[in-house]
Amino acid sequence: MKPYRINVGIEYRTIRATTPLVELTATEEDLNFRFRFGLGRIFGPWPFRREQVIEVFTTRGLFSKRIHIRGGGFELFVFAVPPEPLLLTLEELGYPVDWILRR
């Protein structure tokens, strides 16, 4: 399967970037996040191995749903509208996706 690429927003530690500033590339081996513009292209990418990812689920945000990706030592929020195609692709790639909307 080819790598799945989508432009997303992200919230991770001190980084907050809106859509479409971050590109997510998902493969069976890992998730890679990188900035698309400016100095951010120098920093990153931020890879997360599939083995590190413990769970993927959605919660309600202020204006839309957000995707939580939790793993060993990290938690990040991904903003994709709509989130379902990204969740479906992650599930097909073998990531542990929970489809039930959490509070």
Side-chain angles (χ1 to χ4, degrees):
M1 184 175 196
K2 288 184 177 181
Y4 179 75
R5 297 186 195 295
I6 184 172
N7 297 329
V8 297
I10 187 173
E11 193 172 311
Y12 174 61
R13 296 186 184 174
T14 60
I15 300 167
R16 291 183 183 184
T18 60
T19 304
L21 296 178
V22 177
E23 180 183 72
L24 164 61
T25 305
T27 65
E28 292 175 340
E29 293 83 31
D30 57 13
L31 299 174
N32 280 302
F33 294 89
R34 71 174 184 87
F35 280 106
R36 296 180 59 223
F37 306 107
L39 288 176
R41 294 191 69 175
I42 296 171
F43 306 106
W46 296 280
F48 298 97
R49 304 282 310 158
R50 187 174 76 181
E51 298 83 32
Q52 291 178 290
V53 177
I54 296 170
E55 62 181 339
V56 179
F57 60 94
T58 57
T59 59
R60 287 211 185 276
L62 185 59
F63 296 109
S64 64
K65 295 177 187 174
R66 57 186 181 176
I67 300 169
H68 289 243
I69 301 175
R70 281 191 186 152
F74 72 90
E75 179 175 7
L76 57 99
F77 307 105
V78 176
F79 303 96
V81 179
E84 288 80 12
L86 176 55
L87 289 170
L88 182 60
T89 301
L90 291 177
E91 187 174 53
E92 289 174 352
L93 290 171
Y95 292 89
V97 175
D98 182 0
W99 284 88
I100 297 173
L101 182 67
R102 298 188 190 176
R103 291 184 179 212

